Structures are given as C-alpha cells and as structure tokens.
Amino acid sequence: MTFQTSRQTAARSMDAWNWLAIPTLTCLMLTLIFALPVRIFGLVPPEPIFLMVPAFVWAVIRPSILPPIILMVSGLLLDILWGAPLGLWGFSLLFGYAGVLASRSFASGQGQSMNWVWYAITCLIVELTAYLVTLIDVQAAPSIVGAFWQWAVTAALYPFAHQLIERFEDADVRFK
C-alpha cells in the first residue's frame, strides 16, 4: 500500500484553477509590473507578451474551448493597459494559438531546442500579426526595433513554457 503526499497529489492536479487561472493571473500580474514607468539607464525596458507562455502551452498540451476565451479577454486587458486598439492582442494571441494547434500534430514530442524554435516562430507570428494590424489601423509603421526587442524578450520566456509543459504532461494521463 502506497500513500501519496499532498505535494504529489497537488502536482498531478489538472483542475481549471491550476491549468487556466493561475498562469493567466500570473501573466497579467507580470504584465502590470513590467508596465510600471521605470527607466533603466534612461531606457524603457521592452514589455514581453507574457501571455504567449500559456497560449503556447495550452495549444500544445490540452486544446479546449476555454483557452481561446481567456486569451481574448486577457488580450483585451492588454489593449486597455497599453492603449492599443481593442482586440489587437486578443486577435494576435488567438492567431498564434491557432498556428500552434495547426502544427501540433507534427511538432509535438520534439526535443526542448526544437520546441523553443517552435515557440519563437509562434512569437514571431503573434508579433507580426500585431505589427501588421497596427500598421493598417494607424497607417504608420510602428518601430521595428521596438517590435524586435519585444519579440526577442518574449521568445526568451520559453523556459517558463517548457516548465509549464512538463508540469502538465506529468498531470495528464494521456501522456503516460
């Protein structure tokens, strides 16, 4: 007879709170922290799209109906925070989510470095979508340098996506 500790049980939990709410709230909190008017050596640090981490992970591990709704609502919150046209980030994140879903069958199960490339390409698609929508809406080109740095910093967040993937692969019985 084996007994599971509460830590083992919590690590295997796949409820909506652990799967959807905690990553979303964490990303929104980090976005608010990075949106504070802080200058480092006179420069404003780039604001990564923290929601890319759960958007990518949700599409890779366990696609369902709730993540797109959460991404759209969270994207609207980003639009309000950053003063973007309403729907810009929600649409861009959903576009990236759809791209991951479309490529999921042949990209899943690859090594960590290939998944990082997949994640970086997804980030590029999301950034490019937001860039083009902004270009069309404002009819002026946003800063390419700023968009590049935002993409680079967001792509560098992959270790967090990998950690989330591993955490929920352990909890999902389909991967055992």
Side-chain angles (χ1 to χ4, degrees):
M1 176 187 251
T2 60
F3 295 98
Q4 288 185 344
T5 65
S6 62
R7 182 172 185 228
Q8 288 172 328
T9 305
R12 296 186 196 281
S13 177
M14 199 59 168
D15 61 1
W17 179 254
N18 286 329
W19 177 241
L20 299 170
I22 290 175
T24 303
L25 293 174
T26 302
C27 290
L28 290 174
M29 183 182 67
L30 287 170
T31 300
L32 285 173
I33 291 169
F34 271 70
L36 293 173
V38 175
R39 293 188 178 270
I40 301 171
F41 302 115
L43 300 172
V44 177
E47 296 174 340
I49 310 301
F50 289 104
L51 285 168
M52 273 302 305
V53 171
F56 181 79
V57 172
W58 291 336
V60 168
I61 295 296
R62 191 174 185 182
S64 71
I65 193 66
L66 286 177
I69 295 167
I70 292 171
L71 288 174
M72 193 61 184
V73 170
S74 299
L76 290 172
L77 293 173
L78 290 182
D79 294 336
I80 292 167
L81 177 68
W82 290 336
L86 286 180
L88 171 74
W89 286 110
F91 174 73
S92 299
L93 287 166
L94 286 176
F95 199 72
Y97 181 84
V100 173
L101 281 178
S103 60
R104 184 173 180 254
S105 62
F106 57 86
S108 290
Q110 300 293 328
Q112 184 175 357
S113 59
M114 248 348 260
N115 280 342
W116 198 329
V117 170
W118 186 24
Y119 175 77
I121 290 170
T122 303
C123 292
L124 183 63
I125 290 168
V126 169
E127 288 285 336
L128 188 58
T129 303
Y131 188 89
L132 293 174
V133 169
T134 302
L135 180 69
I136 292 167
D137 182 56
V138 181
Q139 300 198 356
S143 167
I144 290 178
V145 173
F148 169 78
W149 281 114
Q150 187 174 40
W151 168 79
V153 173
T154 303
L157 295 175
Y158 175 75
F160 298 106
H162 181 72
Q163 182 181 19
L164 205 56
I165 288 169
E166 284 188 342
R167 178 178 170 200
F168 290 107
E169 277 182 345
D170 290 342
D172 197 339
V173 294
R174 294 177 295 170
F175 294 102
K176 294 185 184 207

